[in-house]
Amino acid sequence: AMARDDADAGVHVSGAHVWVRDSRVDSGWTAGEVLELLDEGKKLRVKLEDESGHRDGEVVEKIAEECALHNPGRNVEDMTRLSYLHEPGVLHNLHDRYRADDIYTYTGSILIAVNPFQKLPHLYGKPMMEMYRGTPIGDLSPHVYAVADASYKAMRTDQGKSQSILVSGESGAGKTETAKLIMNYFAFMGGRTDDDRYVEKQVLESNPLLEAFGNAKTVRNDNSSRFGKYIQIQFDVHGRISGAAIKTYLLERSRVVNINDPERNYHVFYQLCAGASEEEKINLNLKPAQEYRYLNSSRCFDLDGVDNAEEYRRTRRAMDVVGISKEEQDNVFRIAAAILHLGNCTFAGEDEAVLMDQNAEEHLQSAAALLGVNANALNKALTTRTIQTLEGSITSPLSPNSAAEGRDSLAKTLYSKLFDWLVAHINRSIGQDESAASHIGVLDIYGFESFKSNDFEQFCINFANEKLQQHFNEHVFKMEQQEYQAEQINWSYIDFVDNQDVLDLIERRPFGILDIIDEQCRFPSATHEELALKMYSTLKEDNDPTKRFSKPKRGQYAFTIRHYAGDVTYEANNFLDKNKDFVVVEHQNLLSNADQPLTRELFPIEDPTFSPNKKGSRAAYKFSSVGTRFKEQLHDLMAALATTEPWYVRCIKPNAHASPGAFERGSVLHQLRCGGVLEAVRISLAGFPTRRGYGEFLDRFGLFSSPPWASAKFTRIDDMRAATEELLEVAGVKGYELGVSKVFLRAGEMAKLDKKRRVLLDKAATRIQSYAKRYLVRSEFLRVREATIVIQAYTRGFIARREFEYRRREKASIVLQKEFRRWLARRKFLRIRQATISAQSYYRGKMARKRAMALKYEKSAIIIQSSWRKYRLQSDFRKNRRAAVAIQCAWRVRVAKRELRHRRMKAREAATLLRDKAVLEEKFAHATATLEKVKNQRDELRRDFKEYKVLLENVKDDLASESERRKCLEKDLSSFNATIERLKAELLEEQEGRAADCEALNASLAELCRRRDEREAELLSDLEASTNRISELQADLHREVQLKEAAQLSEAEAHASYEARAAEVILLQKRLDETPTQRDPLSTVDETRLSQNRNVGDTARHQAEADVKLKRMQLERQNEDMDSLLKVLAMPTGEIGFSPDGIPGIAVVTFASLAEWKAFEAERTHTFDRIMSAYARAVEKANSEDDDATLAYWLASNASLLAILHSTLRAASGSSTRRRSSGLPSMFSRFREGLTSSRKSSEEEVEDGSKASGKIEARYPALLFKQQLTALLEHVYTLLRDSAKKRLQPLLDACIAMPRAGRGATHRANGTTSHPAQAAIAPWNEMISVLQTLLESLRAAHLPSLLMKRLFSQTFAFINVYLFNALLLRKECCSFSNGEYVKTGLAQLEAWVLAAKGEGLVIALDELRFLRQAVTFLVIHQKPKKSFDEITHDLCPTLSIQQLYRISNMYWDDKYGTESVNPDVLSQMKRLMAQDNAGGEAGIAFLLDDDSSIPFTVDDIAGTTLPRTFNRGTLALPEAVIGNPSFAYLQA
């Protein structure tokens, strides 16, 4: 255990809480309370407490030096801020935070992460990443995102220096998950979204693949990483991820061939056996996992909650993401299956190894087929060895044990090379950026391990941790000295424990442990006994002055190394076997020539690890040391880390059972030692472990002066420093240094100061108690005397009342007895009379029932007799009727058969056939007449269509209805075709019975159908050609209109061209009906009318050109008026003013001008575009000048104009909503006179309705202008709202920074000497000033109350969200004093709202309800006495459980030292949060979101903007327009 440096016999007082050394508990420390000081304070009498904090009554005597003082207050986020920095203090702080789900804690720059073994969704996700982005480390609660952001920011700002994050911890501590979180944050900060397979996605998706091939179940963890991983993420100059590389270290090869129960082999073997498809199982000859020797040495095949088949599919998907092809994936799993088959190749025999049985031969065949080699060659390579000599090669058989060792060596080599191939393939797929500006490395490596039996793997792992610990110690020592230099204090060199001696013991050459192991491995016959004796003789105490190496008392072939985390004993039994990494020459030659491509790639001929046998060589295999190769990799890693700025994350496993909420102190303390955290604490203790800011120090120890001092008394930092020095001199403290902003104390000095403070407080408390007790005793005496007098008076009154009551009861009893006797006599009489009446009624009823029964029997006999007679008569009648019916039916059948034969004879006669034919011809003639009638109707309709061609001026109004006419014609044609088909079907039905007589009729009908089909085909071809020509003309007309508009031609010229094109289209439409007579016997052609149609277009064109000059004059006048309007819009808003109705002048002038120009009824116009451009320029100018008053005026103007348009415009019917290029009339325009008349009548009804309603029919440009005006209104509202937020945000930041700066420390940096209270409340006053200025601007602009209420509601909501989120994320804001501070500010804000009088501000105050309830919770007294219902229903009904839980955990009373809510309430909150997570609400965050939507609609504006007396007919103009000659057209 760590020596306690701050213990001092003179720092303990009675009643102090201490930590006592106790060997009975795992942690070695037990909490207690000092009862008495013995032997002048050198010994203490202490009452111990149990784990839950309750005293169990045991009293012990302890030496004062073995009792460490308890840290005051609640837990801290940075353990360097603990008043007493020692082992039990660190352990208790971690435990306290872990119970509150605060799993992250700082120790200086080190982040400690305790695995919660449960999901905490509120701690992660994109909102939390956004919150920690760019925030300095320490401003928010400790988090892995804070460390990742600090490293990323340091890389971007510190001249692009590369960074590294070292994540360590024992198996199951959460290293891999922590590394994933860091990777997710880097992907969030520097990710690219332009490619679906970007770098960060491939890096993240490589984790499942590496976990499948590199993770296994161990005793401590179901998913333990059996290799180390260093991920190097590369960034370009813009801070975006440009590449990455993955390096792995020390894969546990021996696990492939040897596992212990209840562990498992690597996950991929179990996934392959369970998840492979039937086809794959056949190809790979797979069997259940229980049948493979490499897997069934343990009884564990499945993991709880893990589906091996699903994990196999997940591994396949990960291979797809990292770019491994389907063929390569199959080859990978072929080698994995081959390894399993190799394990089942067992050998037998005495001197020569042979396969044991048929099963072994089958597995050998399968392994050879999967590896792509010959089975006999593989068998020979496993059972023989060939040695090359000068005389030739000598082949010798192997023993069964040697063959099994060679088989296991081949399996380990195959798996190791396969794992290295996967890592190399992932790196190639991701790609490295050679030109990267910098990088950040994430090291996920195993922590220090110490088990009951430690092997070669633990030796290498602990060697790596010794290297990392040396790097860690140097970094912590460097950071400690940098802080001393920054504070400019006098300091001397601090010595710290350097573990270079243990590193030399392991890796030095010669005579290092690794060197001795390699030397013994070079001897083929060397044994572990010889290795142990070699180490004992070489590394004996004389050659090891550091005493790091020793021989344990137990264990014949074991040795002990004293590491930085403690002594570890290693068993040397397997060191030689596990250090050997060789490839047998037969294996190399065989596999390098395999048919399987991946096998050849894993064993290339030019493999650097093996040289082919040369002549004269006797080596059968090439030896390679695993330890030496690992040492070289470790040196490369340390060299890479030396070029980066390190950041440390220490992961802690709180318990061995992966149980949420359980905290095993002994295990955690051991991990803190192994992780170097306690070593960092020891380095801090060697200097000045206690550091306090001057303000905090004066607030705590200012009572030493007379009168007491506080930080609020001083306004300059120099004054506070001088006051601190004076207090330290008064207290007699010697070991201190005064820095720039902090006071530094040696170990133990803070305990002395706390003791003096406790003594002073105890004396003050004793005096206060004496006065309080005297007051209480006297008050009790006076109360008792007064109560005695009152009791006597009440006693006398009671006696008198009792006597009176007795006499009253005596008199009442006499009256009751008399009444009772009377009641008894009457009851007896009534009973006798009732009995007599009952007997009489019973007798009479019995006689009556007897007579009734006799009558009933007589009636039943009569009914039975009548029913029998009726049944007998009915049966006779039915029998006779059935006989008559049968006879009639037989006779009728006979007559019907005779008639049938007679009619069949008549049907065969010829006369019958002729009559049927005549009937059929009559039906056909009727159908032909019907067809002729339809044709005549069609001709008549065509003539009507030609007569209406003179009405071309209405072609634009009929565009919408022509498509309906075309559909009607097609419907008529389809009905006609349906009639023909129906007639044809009827004819076919008749012909079925008379086929011989109707052949001629069928031929005629077929000819008619053929002619009809030919004619329809011709019509369809003409229709398609005409339609194509019409489409071309429409496109030409659309382009011509656009070109003329671009050249600013007059509307009349465009209209004339449009009419000319329309005439040409009409001529083409007529050609469909004007087909030659010889091709269509159903229609004729009138050439005269065709020429008339050609003349119609010329007449329309000449008529349109005649109106051009008149319309051009009107346009010039309108342009002059438009220029005048634009000049008014460019004037300052103060000069325009408002109309007498209170409507902004811009809205009035704009609407009056547009109504005068009839712009709302125009089909095409540029007026609206010019007005919107002028509006937009004015708004952008006001926004660039930050002129809120002008923005408010434009907001009111747009709202008023939009309300006027909404109340005066209506969408026109017909073509009013179509665009300018909506197309030309179709060829079937106005086809039926009836439809035309109905359309005209409906238009007249619409026109009458429009006149009756008094609204203007708006065309498409006007409606588009209304939509653009709505968008501009929302834009101006957004600008005004964001401007208010921009002015409020620095003031809110000042309010948030106030607790961190300290009470009364505001404006110290700039030397101001304002009063502290005024300085603290200054941000709130400035905030109110900003709101007052905004309110005055809105009132001056006559802004509608609706918009004003919504604007202030969103502004107050922004204040609520900003301050509330800061309260949840910053511990210094979640304090009692800060609650009082914010409550004072809110009170001032509410007072201002009440003084503002109206405009919906009081309603807007409701947006502050979250902040108001949170502040109320902070300042409420006696929180531990509040129940869960009182907190959730009475105090904070609006806050969620997550928010209440967060505030309760982060709350600390910096003024009175009171506690937060009751632990039972916290437990209930935590249970409800867990239920919410289980119910699918895990993604709910506790932070609030700022609402940036538009909180109103056009209908809201129209309903609240205009006055009730508004009338567009009497719209008053503003004074700036009245008398202006440019607006004479309005004043007239």
Side-chain angles (χ1 to χ4, degrees), residues 1172-1303:
M1172 287 305 303
S1173 299
Y1175 277 20
R1177 286 194 299 270
V1179 170
E1180 294 302 328
K1181 180 180 178 182
N1183 182 42
S1184 61
E1185 297 175 355
D1186 289 337
D1187 189 356
D1188 290 348
T1190 303
L1191 287 177
Y1193 182 84
W1194 278 104
L1195 181 62
S1197 300
N1198 291 342
S1200 300
L1201 181 56
L1202 185 61
I1204 294 173
L1205 296 180
H1206 191 77
S1207 62
T1208 57
L1209 299 184
R1210 64 182 298 273
S1213 60
S1215 61
S1216 61
T1217 59
R1218 295 174 302 185
R1219 295 186 179 271
R1220 299 168 186 171
S1221 58
S1222 59
L1224 294 175
S1226 65
M1227 64 178 179
F1228 295 107
S1229 66
R1230 297 162 63 237
F1231 187 74
R1232 294 180 179 180
E1233 182 177 1
L1235 293 176
T1236 304
S1237 61
S1238 64
R1239 179 191 59 80
K1240 289 183 179 180
S1241 62
S1242 63
E1243 289 180 354
E1244 291 175 358
E1245 292 174 0
V1246 172
E1247 183 177 0
D1248 294 342
S1250 175
K1251 293 180 180 179
S1253 62
K1255 291 188 176 182
I1256 302 175
E1257 288 192 357
R1259 302 290 177 175
Y1260 173 76
L1263 299 178
L1264 181 61
F1265 172 68
K1266 184 179 177 182
Q1267 296 177 0
Q1268 294 174 346
L1269 190 64
T1270 304
L1272 182 62
L1273 173 67
E1274 296 175 353
H1275 178 60
V1276 177
Y1277 176 85
T1278 303
L1279 292 177
L1280 195 60
R1281 181 191 63 199
D1282 294 345
S1283 176
K1285 291 182 179 180
K1286 182 174 67 176
R1287 287 176 169 82
L1288 291 175
Q1289 185 169 355
L1291 303 177
L1292 295 174
D1293 290 334
C1295 294
I1296 294 173
M1298 191 61 61
R1300 197 185 316 161
R1303 297 184 300 276

Side-chain angles (χ1 to χ4, degrees), residues 94-280:
L94 287 177
H95 188 196
D96 198 12
R97 291 180 60 79
Y98 180 73
R99 287 186 299 181
D101 284 341
D102 292 330
I103 61 175
Y104 296 110
T105 307
Y106 292 129
T107 301
S109 61
I110 309 167
L111 178 68
I112 300 176
V114 185
N115 194 343
F117 293 118
Q118 61 180 334
K119 293 183 178 181
L120 300 177
H122 64 280
L123 291 182
Y124 308 105
K126 189 174 181 180
M128 294 300 293
M129 293 183 187
E130 290 282 1
M131 191 61 61
Y132 279 90
R133 175 193 288 189
T135 304
I137 190 169
D139 283 5
L140 298 178
S141 300
H143 204 288
V144 68
Y145 290 158
V147 175
D149 183 80
S151 64
Y152 180 82
K153 187 165 53 178
M155 179 196 68
R156 298 279 292 152
T157 58
D158 191 9
Q159 299 179 355
K161 184 175 181 180
S162 298
Q163 308 288 311
S164 61
I165 301 177
L166 284 71
V167 183
S168 63
E170 73 170 34
S171 179
K175 301 186 299 298
T176 303
E177 292 300 322
T178 301
K180 289 180 183 177
L181 292 173
I182 295 173
M183 295 292 299
N184 286 330
Y185 188 83
F186 288 150
F188 169 75
M189 293 293 293
R192 302 172 184 266
T193 59
D194 54 350
D195 189 0
D196 290 337
R197 298 187 65 182
Y198 43 87
V199 174
E200 55 272 18
K201 182 178 179 181
Q202 290 180 317
V203 173
L204 294 176
E205 289 298 327
S206 66
N207 287 322
L209 179 58
L210 294 179
E211 287 180 3
F213 284 85
N215 287 26
K217 180 189 183 308
T218 62
V219 177
R220 295 187 176 183
N221 185 13
D222 288 348
N223 189 30
S224 176
S225 298
R226 308 315 299 164
F227 66 101
K229 179 172 60 178
Y230 182 66
I231 303 176
Q232 191 180 72
I233 307 171
Q234 298 160 344
F235 296 85
D236 57 16
V237 294
H238 303 292
R240 294 192 295 267
I241 297 177
S242 60
I246 300 176
K247 299 178 182 179
T248 58
Y249 302 94
L250 193 63
L251 177 70
E252 189 179 359
R253 292 156 41 98
S254 60
R255 181 172 291 271
V256 178
V257 299
N258 184 21
I259 56 175
N260 299 322
D261 195 29
E263 296 186 349
R264 290 205 324 171
N265 211 317
Y266 290 105
H267 295 327
V268 65
F269 295 123
Y270 305 93
Q271 295 176 8
L272 180 61
C273 293
S277 63
E278 294 300 328
E279 181 181 358
E280 290 175 333

Side-chain angles (χ1 to χ4, degrees), residues 11 265 310 428 572 577 760 791 819 839 866 893 1016 1038 1047 1153 1256 1327 1347 1428 1487:
V11 299
N265 211 317
E310 179 61 29
R428 287 197 303 271
D577 295 336
L760 288 177
I791 290 173
E819 292 294 329
S866 62
V893 168
E1016 286 180 352
H1038 182 56
S1153 300
I1256 302 175
M1327 198 184 307
L1347 294 179
F1428 177 78
L1487 300 179

Side-chain angles (χ1 to χ4, degrees), residues 149 171 418 510 595 685 707 752 850 879 945 1016 1168 1178 1209 1260 1399 1446-1447 1506:
D149 183 80
S171 179
L418 178 62
D595 296 335
L685 286 173
K752 295 179 181 178
K850 186 176 181 181
K879 186 184 300 182
F945 174 78
E1016 286 180 352
F1168 297 116
L1209 299 184
Y1260 173 76
E1399 283 80 18
R1446 180 78 175 179
I1447 296 174
L1506 297 178

